[in-house]
Every structure is written in structure tokens, then in C-alpha cells.
Amino acid sequence: MSFSENWHTLLEAAEERSPEATLITPLSHTQFRITDSQEYRVIIEILDSDDSQPLQRDQFETLYRRVQDAGGGFELDRLPPDAEPYAAVLTLHPQFEIDEDAGILGETDAPTATQVIGEGPTETDDRTEPDVGVYADALLLIDELERHDPTSMDTLDTETLIDLYTLLSDVQRGANDLRKDIADTLLDRVHHDQPVHAQYGSVQRTSRRSKSLKDDTEVLAALEDAGIDQDRVLGVDPDKVEDALDVTDLHEQDVYDIEERAYVRKADVNEDVKETRLQGLKDRLAATESEEADVLRSEIEDLEDRIDELTSFRTGSEVQ
């Protein structure tokens, strides 16, 4: 396929995007929007500065040729700083994709992901109930929070406070379990120390180092070989061992069993995106008089009835 055909495919993809669709550059993670697409250029607006910038067709063609010549993918760190938006826009084409982990822009034979963020589900998206415990607890908690104002604790009765406390505990426990499962999965996908970004925030891979003293005999033998009197560290007091390490050529691994464990930590939260998305959900539910809203309310009521049945106290005569 010639570049001319690819160019018109790219323009059509750009025109089909919502005007509010936000793209993000692969290296500096600058966010921008396409404000206009013309025969020989695409106009973008950088969100942080509101600056407009034209992206010229001939520059897209140059990048296109370099991707094809690279074979295994064009290395993103070879992009000039002002060329990052070209790479992001090119991913709107169904056969170009950025792999941030590998640091390349490549061409594939199948439709791929884009650098677009901030496009939430449409009204036609099917909603299904996930098979995780925190989902039901969260629905109940939302219902309680909508019916009782937690910012005025003194006005709430004791039973309501107990219900809120119980649901918050259940949601916290379920969320922590789910969060750990997600973090374990992310460890296989986040392979460097740079933050990896998504719509609501970002994560990055890091590690935590811990150490514990080896067997007393082994520690004392190592210190004795280094000329340290055993009486100085008798009982292998960690503080005394640390003092001994400061005045010898011993390394930590000579007296400590050192374990290093990789984990994922939250690097940033995009509060603006979260607030916008949450407000949209609130407005959508408030304005909806559809079967979907009725089903959601019915599910909440059924869950409440089931919990009341399981937790209510019944006397022996009632059971009989």
C-alpha cells in the first residue's frame, strides 16, 4: 500500500475520533488533541499550553518510511523532541502501534492499540457484573453513601454507622486482594523503572531490599576472621554488627541474608480524569430512566434482602 493510501486512512481515523479524544506522546507523555485534519496536515493543540501546532504530511511520510526501513520497529529514542506527536497520531492508523516497553514504533498486519486516552465507554457498551466480591460490596457501599451523608457523622444513628463501617471494611479487604492480584500481573508487564501511564494514573516497577542476619556461628566466624572480638557483637546485636561493618572490609552479604523483591507501586494519580469520569457516571445515572438503571437498583435491593436474611437473628420458634 502506498503512503498516499495510508495517509488518507490516517485522516479518516483522525476525523472519526471524538473532538475530546486525548492523545499522549510516547516519551515525554505530553497530552494533546487533534483540532483539525486537512489534505496536507493535521492540526493539534497541546493541552498544558493551549498551543496549536501543524503536523505536516511530508513529515508523516518521512516517519512512515523510517518505520518501514527499520524492519523490526523504529526506535522511539531516535525521534526529535518535536516529532513525538507524529508518532502518537500515526497510531490512529489501524496498522501502526507503539510498544513503550520495547521503545519502538512498528507496523503490523492486524488492528492495534492507539495512543488515545480519555475516551470512556459509550452508551452502547454492555455492562456485566464481574465475578469479584468487592463489586457487590462496592454497590452496597455506594447505595449507603447516597442515602446517608457521611460528612455529618453526628446526625447518623449507630446502626447506620455500623453498616457503613462494615461495608468499608469489606470493600477495603476485597480491594486489597484484587489490588495484589493486579500488581502480580503488572510485574510481568512493567519492565523498567519509568512510569507506565493509563487513563487514571500511572505505575512503575521498583524493588524493596530487606536483610536478615545469618546463623550466629557463621556471623561470629566471619567477624573473627576480620579481627573483630566476639565480645563486641555477642548475641549478634544488629546495631553492633552494623558498627562492625563500618570499620572492616566485610560486605553486607558476609553477615546478612539479603532478599530483594520486585513490586509495583502507585506513581501518580490523575485526579482530574477521575473527577470527570465520576461526574459523568453520576450525571448518566441521574438522567437515565431506562431499564438499565432499574436493573441496577433492583440488584442493590436484592443484595440488601439477601444480607438481611443471612444476618438477621431468628429465635428457635421462628426457625421451627
Side-chain angles (χ1 to χ4, degrees):
M1 183 182 293
S2 67
F3 174 73
S4 178
E5 293 174 288
N6 280 291
W7 171 248
H8 286 97
T9 299
L10 181 62
L11 287 181
E12 290 174 2
E15 291 170 355
E16 290 174 358
R17 289 288 172 185
S18 164
E20 299 302 316
T22 300
L23 288 89
I24 185 168
T25 59
L27 299 178
S28 63
H29 298 107
T30 300
Q31 296 185 21
F32 66 92
R33 289 180 180 145
I34 296 176
T35 58
D36 192 14
S37 55
Q38 303 170 3
E39 182 60 29
Y40 294 102
R41 64 180 184 174
V42 172
I43 310 297
I44 67 169
E45 180 182 84
I46 307 299
L47 296 189
D48 289 341
S49 62
D50 292 331
D51 290 339
S52 292
Q53 177 182 340
L55 306 182
Q56 305 294 341
R57 169 182 165 147
D58 59 347
Q59 295 300 316
F60 277 106
E61 183 171 7
T62 299
L63 180 58
Y64 169 79
R65 300 298 180 196
R66 289 185 177 179
V67 172
Q68 287 198 318
D69 293 342
F74 178 76
E75 296 180 1
L76 293 172
D77 57 10
R78 294 174 57 194
L79 285 171
D82 58 352
E84 282 193 66
Y86 284 89
V89 172
L90 190 58
T91 65
L92 295 180
H93 190 291
Q95 293 182 334
F96 288 88
E97 181 180 39
I98 286 175
D99 184 341
E100 288 200 24
D101 289 339
I104 60 173
L105 168 64
E107 186 176 13
T108 66
D109 295 328
T112 61
T114 71
Q115 291 297 104
V116 176
I117 63 173
E119 284 192 322
T122 64
E123 294 292 331
T124 59
D125 287 342
D126 293 332
R127 297 176 61 91
T128 58
E129 181 176 343
D131 187 19
V132 289
V134 69
Y135 178 79
D137 291 330
L139 281 179
L140 289 170
L141 178 59
I142 290 171
D143 181 57
E144 286 291 318
L145 293 175
E146 288 178 344
R147 291 189 289 115
H148 306 286
D149 183 5
T151 62
S152 302
M153 295 290 183
D154 293 340
T155 64
L156 301 180
D157 58 49
T158 301
E159 290 185 356
T160 298
L161 290 173
I162 292 174
D163 287 340
L164 285 171
Y165 183 87
T166 302
L167 289 172
L168 285 166
S169 298
D170 291 343
V171 169
Q172 182 183 36
R173 183 181 65 251
N176 284 338
D177 291 342
L178 184 58
R179 177 175 175 267
K180 182 180 181 303
D181 292 341
I182 292 172
D184 291 341
T185 303
L186 281 172
L187 275 176
D188 296 330
R189 304 185 185 184
V190 181
H191 303 296
H192 50 76
D193 293 332
Q194 295 299 317
V196 179
H197 300 268
Q199 180 176 352
Y200 296 127
S202 59
V203 300
Q204 68 184 72
R205 185 186 181 97
T206 185
S207 61
R208 182 182 293 116
R209 190 171 180 269
S210 63
K211 59 184 181 180
S212 59
L213 281 171
K214 295 183 177 181
D215 179 77
D216 287 5
T217 303
E218 191 173 352
V219 173
L220 292 174
L223 293 174
E224 184 178 2
D225 291 343
I228 300 298
D229 190 339
Q230 292 187 10
D231 291 338
R232 293 181 58 184
V233 293
L234 194 60
V236 195
D237 186 307
D239 293 333
K240 293 181 180 180
V241 172
E242 287 290 340
D243 293 339
L245 290 176
D246 290 338
V247 296
T248 68
D249 294 331
L250 287 173
H251 300 288
E252 286 185 323
Q253 56 267 31
D254 293 328
V255 294
Y256 286 103
D257 289 321
I258 299 175
E259 177 186 3
E260 187 166 321
R261 182 176 63 86
Y263 68 100
V264 169
R265 72 175 178 87
K266 182 172 61 178
D268 191 21
V269 175
N270 194 328
E271 297 291 351
D272 291 337
V273 172
K274 287 177 64 177
E275 183 177 349
T276 300
R277 175 61 179 153
L278 287 173
Q279 186 59 50
L281 291 173
K282 292 177 184 177
D283 294 342
R284 178 180 172 185
L285 185 58
T288 299
E289 295 295 337
S290 64
E291 291 183 3
E292 180 183 349
D294 293 338
V295 169
L296 181 59
R297 297 186 185 98
S298 177
E299 288 176 353
I300 293 174
E301 291 173 0
D302 289 343
L303 285 169
E304 287 181 326
D305 291 341
R306 283 158 50 193
I307 288 178
D308 287 341
E309 181 179 350
L310 291 171
T311 59
S312 60
F313 175 78
R314 292 184 294 172
T315 65
S317 60
E318 289 176 326
V319 172
Q320 295 175 350

